[in-house]
Amino acid sequence: MLARSWDGATRAEDGNEYVEYLRRTGVADLTATGGNRGVFVLRREDGERTCFRLVSLWDSLDAVRRFAGDDPERARYYPEDERFLLALSPGVEHYEVVIGPDASPSTTEGRQLAEELRAIWHGDAWHGAALSELLEGVTPEEAAARPLAAAHSLWELILHMTAWNDVWRQRLEGQARREPEEGDFPPVPAPTPEAWAEGQRRLQDGHERLEARVARLTATELDATVPGCEYDARFLVRGVIRHTVYHSGQIALLKKAA
């Protein structure tokens, strides 16, 4: 686990307002990012200044990049930060967490399941290449092609996975959802580079949002019956993992066939 630390300061009279602004911007985005394990905002009064230290905890540096961008060592700022802060420090510091509070028993299993979802997309997937690796270098024409006449195209599989990831996340959030509104296998758009890039972006975004929700599941939530279904959330999440692995294998075969 990694800790990301940022320091800043405001005028003393702006301290309270900045806390609320920080809650709406940085803290909200940090906690919504897949792989984030929590955020601490520390405050200290120093004469005419109010000093802040923001510490966020992360599964990995790849997870940090989802929030910070390609250069995780650079600080991320928001439009009104310049109005509040006395200086905009360009960098942050990262630390390896070697001693920390034990993970809560109520969230440990959810985090373990989320880590498996993360590995399927980003990491050392147990079944073979991770999904992000499989999609590297695929052109729009290749994604829309049908090298196996009786099989779905790679693009169709991407849209199918994206649609169902949204349904499963909404179920875990307490909504009684059935099939995706756009259908089991949504129609493929014209094979342009822009449409293909957007399809991949939506898949990654939906996967990370689902992963973040799974990481927050407590033992009680995992045991609870999913709204509108006859199984619990634990069964659903394990099914999501199997579903993603199954279609990742299909994508690998389609790439070879092409």
Side-chain angles (χ1 to χ4, degrees), residues 78-98:
Y78 292 82
E80 292 189 60
D81 278 325
E82 193 168 358
R83 178 169 71 86
F84 285 108
L85 295 170
L86 299 178
L88 299 180
S89 174
V92 299
E93 295 181 318
H94 291 98
Y95 298 86
E96 179 186 1
V97 179
V98 294

Side-chain angles (χ1 to χ4, degrees), residues 64-214:
V64 174
R65 288 191 178 94
R66 296 174 211 162
F67 169 77
D70 292 337
D71 185 359
E73 302 299 325
R74 290 191 62 81
R76 175 177 169 180
Y77 288 104
Y78 292 82
E80 292 189 60
D81 278 325
E82 193 168 358
R83 178 169 71 86
F84 285 108
L85 295 170
L86 299 178
L88 299 180
S89 174
V92 299
E93 295 181 318
H94 291 98
Y95 298 86
E96 179 186 1
V97 179
V98 294
I99 299 176
D102 291 336
S104 167
S106 66
T107 59
T108 297
E109 186 178 359
R111 288 176 178 170
Q112 290 173 343
L113 292 168
E115 174 59 24
E116 190 162 354
L117 279 170
R118 187 204 65 78
I120 291 171
W121 178 269
H122 289 287
D124 297 324
W126 55 266
H127 60 278
L131 188 51
S132 60
E133 297 176 62
L134 290 172
L135 296 177
E136 286 180 2
V138 176
T139 67
E141 293 74 21
E142 290 169 340
R146 290 180 178 275
L148 304 176
H152 289 288
S153 70
L154 191 154
W155 203 324
E156 285 176 320
L157 294 178
I158 293 302
L159 295 176
H160 169 76
M161 295 168 72
T162 301
W164 278 103
N165 280 346
D166 286 343
V167 169
W168 289 323
R169 175 181 51 79
Q170 290 164 356
R171 287 181 183 176
L172 292 174
E173 291 172 348
Q175 301 179 46
R177 288 292 310 277
R178 304 305 298 176
E179 284 199 357
E181 292 180 2
E182 58 269 53
D184 189 19
F185 282 90
V188 174
T192 65
E194 295 77 16
W196 176 230
E198 174 65 11
Q200 293 178 85
R201 186 200 64 75
R202 287 190 60 218
L203 176 64
Q204 180 174 354
D205 179 67
H207 186 94
E208 291 179 352
R209 292 177 69 192
L210 176 60
E211 176 192 324
R213 180 65 188 97
V214 170

Side-chain angles (χ1 to χ4, degrees), residues 26-43:
V27 173
D29 284 346
L30 284 162
T31 55
T33 303
N36 177 262
R37 292 198 179 189
V39 179
F40 298 88
V41 177
L42 311 180
R43 173 177 177 168

